């Protein structure tokens, strides 16, 4: 079995002008993906998108994203009808609508000393400004089996079994932008509640043949000190591939850890 992993990030679509520009580039993007399909009867294409689909989390911006993705998927299917396409999404800070009516309540929750991110209702209140993203990913989930985050969780685990169960890919989809602000600062973002949300005792054991792909919009440099410690413990134990976006730079690093584990760290540039 052959896997083609496509990493796209930071589309930032704002209006019809952006749609026209990007739509003109979709044939080239589709051709690049098709070029890497060398075994059409035994290939799965995984489309990993690490956030900032939209420019400001507006509903019409996701309508435009759907048109672009439909066009891209149609190119792949037209050339190779039997190839499986598996989309995996995580949201970014531009997928937050900071003008949403729930934004002021969310700000109060984020600033509260009693904020508990293990409390599902509090977390849903914080992700309410991403509701258009979640609606979009849910709609695409029913159409294409999209794997994504859940609005009441920071880390959502999705599993994809291929080749009659011989290949098991586990996606750890992390919503780093649950606490995004209109003006973000490095070192302020959180993915853990104290040290309880994402340590190893909260996740199932990684099996020998599992491939774990961790996807998130912000990289670890945006996390606060305690969260970064937990992140280091987590990713060395679990992640084979780490996909991030946000910083608008391209980076590809193979990290070899002291315990002989390794991670591929891939940062994607903006689609433009």
């Amino acid at each position: 079995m052959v896997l083609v992993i496509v990493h796209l990030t930071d589309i930032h679509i704002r209006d019809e002008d952006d749609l026209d520009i990007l739509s003109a580039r979709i044939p080239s993007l589709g051709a690049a993906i098709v070029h890497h399909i060398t075994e059409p009867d035994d290939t799965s294409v995984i489309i990993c998108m690490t956030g900032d689909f939209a420019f400001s989390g507006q509903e019409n911006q996701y309508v435009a994203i759907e048109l672009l993705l439909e066009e891209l998927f149609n190119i792949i299917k037209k050339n190779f009808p039997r190839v499986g396409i598996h989309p995996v999404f995580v949201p970014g800070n531009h997928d937050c609508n900071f003008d949403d009516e729930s934004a002021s309540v969310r700000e109060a929750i984020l600033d509260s000393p009693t904020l508990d991110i293990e409390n599902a209702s509090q977390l849903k209140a914080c992700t309410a400004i991403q509701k258009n993203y979640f609606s979009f990913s849910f709609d695409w989930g029913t159409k294409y089996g999209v794997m994504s985050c859940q609005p009441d969780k920071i880390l959502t685990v999705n599993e994809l079994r291929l080749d009659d169960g011989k290949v098991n890919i586990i996606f750890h989809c992390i919503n780093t932008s649950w606490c995004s602000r209109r003006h973000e600062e490095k070192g302020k973002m959180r993915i853990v509640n104290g040290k309880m949300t994402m340590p190893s005792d909260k996740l199932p054991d990684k099996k020998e043949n599992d491939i774990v792909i961790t996807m998130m919009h912000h990289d670890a440099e945006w996390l606060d000190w305690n969260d970064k410690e937990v992140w280091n413990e987590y990713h060395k134990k679990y992640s084979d591939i780490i996909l991030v976006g946000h910083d608008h730079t391209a980076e590809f690093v193979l990290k070899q850890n002291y315990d002989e584990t390794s991670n591929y760290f891939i940062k994607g540039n903006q689609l433009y």
Side-chain angles (χ1 to χ4, degrees):
M1 150 140 272
V2 178
L3 296 177
V4 175
I5 301 176
V6 181
H7 180 207
L8 303 175
T9 193
D10 294 78
I11 301 172
H12 296 156
I13 197 159
R14 186 194 321 235
D15 51 29
E16 289 187 7
D17 290 339
D18 289 347
L19 176 61
D20 290 341
I21 292 169
L22 287 166
S23 184
R25 298 178 183 182
I26 288 294
S28 295
L29 181 58
I33 296 169
V34 167
H35 176 74
H36 288 278
I37 299 174
T38 57
E39 300 289 340
D41 293 324
D42 197 26
T43 296
S44 288
V45 178
I46 302 174
I47 309 287
C48 298
M49 301 184 70
T50 51
D52 283 4
F53 295 77
F55 181 79
S56 54
Q58 303 292 322
E59 186 176 7
N60 65 303
Q61 294 167 356
Y62 294 101
V63 173
I65 288 290
E66 288 191 34
L67 293 173
L68 293 173
L69 290 181
E70 286 276 11
E71 192 176 347
L72 179 62
F73 286 19
N74 286 338
I75 291 172
I76 299 171
K77 283 295 188 182
K78 182 178 179 180
N79 283 272
F80 298 112
R82 292 185 297 277
V83 163
I85 303 175
H86 308 279
V88 193
F89 299 162
V90 295
N93 54 299
H94 280 271
D95 295 305
C96 299
N97 178 5
F98 292 106
D99 295 321
D100 188 84
E101 59 184 10
S102 65
S104 59
V105 174
R106 175 182 183 268
E107 286 291 315
I109 294 173
L110 289 176
D111 292 333
S112 171
T114 60
L115 170 62
D116 178 6
I117 59 180
E118 288 193 330
N119 183 308
S121 61
Q122 289 191 31
L123 198 56
K124 283 185 78 171
C126 292
T127 61
I129 62 171
Q130 296 176 323
K131 65 184 178 184
N132 290 325
Y133 162 81
F134 285 113
S135 178
F136 152 73
S137 64
F138 177 78
D139 289 345
W140 266 66
T142 58
K143 193 183 300 184
Y144 289 102
V146 169
M147 294 167 278
S148 183
C149 301
Q150 295 179 20
D152 60 348
K153 294 180 180 179
I154 290 175
L155 169 63
T156 303
V157 178
N158 296 283
E159 198 165 332
L160 178 63
R161 291 186 178 274
L162 300 169
D163 198 18
D164 296 324
K166 297 174 187 174
V167 177
N168 191 38
I169 306 176
I170 300 172
F171 298 94
H172 288 185
C173 297
I174 301 175
N175 184 358
T176 55
S177 54
W178 73 274
C179 59
S180 284
R181 309 273 188 160
R182 196 183 291 268
H183 304 290
E184 292 189 322
E185 295 181 59
K186 277 193 173 182
K188 300 288 187 181
M189 308 196 75
R190 296 175 55 194
I191 55 174
V192 299
N193 196 27
K195 292 203 173 186
M196 296 184 295
T197 298
M198 218 175 66
S200 57
D201 62 344
K202 290 285 183 179
L203 291 169
D205 290 336
K206 182 181 178 183
K207 300 181 181 66
E208 184 178 356
N209 294 323
D210 288 347
I211 300 170
V212 175
I213 300 177
T214 298
M215 292 174 51
M216 57 189 195
H217 184 62
H218 305 78
D219 71 12
E221 296 305 311
W222 289 84
L223 304 178
D224 79 2
W225 181 262
N226 289 331
D227 293 60
K228 199 170 179 181
E229 280 191 5
V230 178
W231 162 259
N232 286 332
E233 174 192 341
Y234 152 80
H235 86 267
K236 289 175 184 177
K237 180 173 182 178
Y238 286 98
S239 303
D240 296 300
I241 300 171
I242 301 163
L243 301 176
V244 302
H246 187 63
D247 288 325
H248 300 177
T249 58
E251 186 176 349
F252 183 95
V253 178
L254 172 60
K255 295 183 177 181
Q256 193 74 37
N257 303 314
Y258 285 115
D259 61 359
E260 299 184 357
T261 61
S262 60
N263 322 98
Y264 288 96
F265 176 88
I266 301 162
K267 181 180 289 187
N269 206 337
Q270 57 185 332
L271 187 61
Y272 274 97

